[in-house]
Amino acid sequence: MHDAAKESKMIRDFENIIIKTVCRAIIPFIQLYGLYVIAHGHYSPGGGFQGGCILAASFILMVLAYDIKEMKKRMSEKINTILCSTGVIIYTGIGLLCVILGANFLDYGILEIILPADAEHSRSLGILGVEIGVGFTVMAVMVSIFLNIASAGEHEDGEQG
Amino acid sequence: MIVITIAVALIVAGTFFFVTATLGLLRFPDFYTRMHAAGKGDTLGALLSLAGLALYNLNNGFSVEAILISMKILIIALFIFIANPTATHAITKAGLVCSVKPWEKKESSK
């Protein structure tokens, strides 16, 4: 039994080189696909929530393959909080801009006054802007929830796994 | 016509590998052999099925849109080809780290 424990410790210490290499190769494409889903949300399946979840999944995959420290080099807690609030500000900002210009909340058609496009195109652009805001917020909140659950609220782990 | 024949042959072969993988997943005795069946069978089955679908999509002539959609399907196949064995490897390694015992034949151990 002691031998088995020692052996499993040895295996855990051994570099997970296959998993790390594949994750390093695949994560950029996952993020690219997340941006694709966000950008095409208004005329194909997808949107801010789905794309944001895909972006968050790429960061969660990074935590699983490496560790939390490695991921926080890419996205620290500060940047995470800033992204979360920025998304909400973009969403609310576009909504309130429509109110200021004299229409209902999130009634994008009125944006034709300030955009160089007609009502239909400004409606499409407004939806795209709102989707981008939703995507930022969903990504940041998903990563934050995962970090809090995975590290019991301490946002750091010592053991490489 | 010949395109459809090849596509159907590919999809049927892919389905055969899916069925084999599921049979192995249900009938093999322990964790490692089940992961072995799932990893290999599912990867090849998905690859063949998606190749068949990409070919079937080109049935109505080689327009730019059809080739674009076929390329997307092939990119999905490439992604599965890379990600599925890695996921199988990761799960199997997690089992090894948690010291899951491999199956042994009952007669030889006595």
Side-chain angles (χ1 to χ4, degrees):
Chain A
M1 197 59 215
H2 183 70
D3 259 10
K6 197 176 165 189
E7 193 181 346
S8 79
K9 172 89 165 49
M10 196 183 74
I11 293 164
R12 196 186 296 136
D13 287 345
F14 186 70
E15 288 274 307
N16 291 315
I17 191 151
I18 296 176
I19 300 169
K20 284 185 178 177
T21 310
V22 170
C23 286
R24 213 167 51 209
I26 269 182
I27 282 171
F29 294 103
I30 295 176
Q31 290 176 344
L32 194 65
Y33 182 65
L35 293 177
Y36 171 86
V37 169
I38 289 178
H40 287 243
H42 51 300
Y43 56 85
S44 72
F49 287 99
Q50 292 87 341
C53 281
I54 293 171
L55 284 174
S58 72
F59 284 103
I60 291 172
L61 183 62
M62 204 184 291
V63 174
L64 292 179
Y66 291 80
D67 53 3
I68 292 181
K69 274 182 209 149
E70 190 69 26
M71 198 218 71
K72 289 181 89 175
K73 279 185 206 163
R74 267 84 172 180
M75 186 159 83
S76 64
E77 203 178 345
K78 194 175 165 189
I79 294 178
N80 193 343
T81 315
I82 290 174
L83 275 178
C84 180
S85 342
T86 311
V88 177
I89 287 174
I90 291 173
Y91 181 90
T92 327
I94 291 176
L96 285 180
L97 198 60
C98 302
V99 174
I100 290 169
L101 291 174
N104 287 324
F105 188 70
L106 291 179
D107 190 1
Y108 318 105
I110 198 75
L111 288 176
E112 66 179 328
I113 298 173
I114 55 169
L115 288 176
D118 56 1
E120 289 169 6
H121 283 94
S122 57
R123 207 170 275 278
S124 173
L125 282 173
I127 293 176
L128 179 62
V130 165
E131 296 284 6
I132 289 171
V134 172
F136 276 164
T137 303
V138 170
M139 178 190 75
V141 170
M142 292 288 286
V143 172
S144 169
I145 289 173
F146 175 77
L147 283 185
N148 278 317
I149 291 177
S151 63
E154 295 184 356
H155 282 221
E156 56 187 33
D157 61 351
E159 188 183 9
Q160 176 120 358
Chain B
M1 190 62 201
I2 188 148
V3 173
I4 288 189
T5 314
I6 297 173
V8 167
L10 282 172
I11 293 172
V12 167
T15 315
F16 168 75
F17 279 107
F18 271 132
V19 170
T20 320
T22 313
L23 202 65
L25 195 64
L26 291 174
R27 294 296 299 165
F28 269 143
D30 78 332
F31 174 73
Y32 297 109
T33 45
R34 282 179 189 167
M35 287 313 297
H36 158 84
K40 282 187 162 138
D42 272 0
T43 309
L44 191 57
L47 209 65
L48 288 175
S49 301
L50 288 171
L53 289 178
L55 206 58
Y56 181 76
N57 185 51
L58 292 174
N59 181 32
N60 295 326
F62 289 79
S63 66
V64 175
E65 285 181 16
I67 290 177
L68 208 62
I69 291 175
S70 290
M71 285 302 293
K72 283 180 187 171
I73 295 175
L74 287 182
I75 288 172
I76 294 173
L78 181 69
F79 181 81
I80 289 176
F81 191 65
I82 296 172
N84 203 354
T86 313
T88 310
H89 169 82
I91 296 171
T92 313
K93 191 159 187 175
L96 195 62
V97 168
C98 297
S99 16
V100 176
K101 288 239 164 33
W103 174 77
E104 285 173 9
K105 217 172 184 179
K106 283 280 157 49
E107 288 82 8
S108 64
S109 66
K110 277 177 185 172

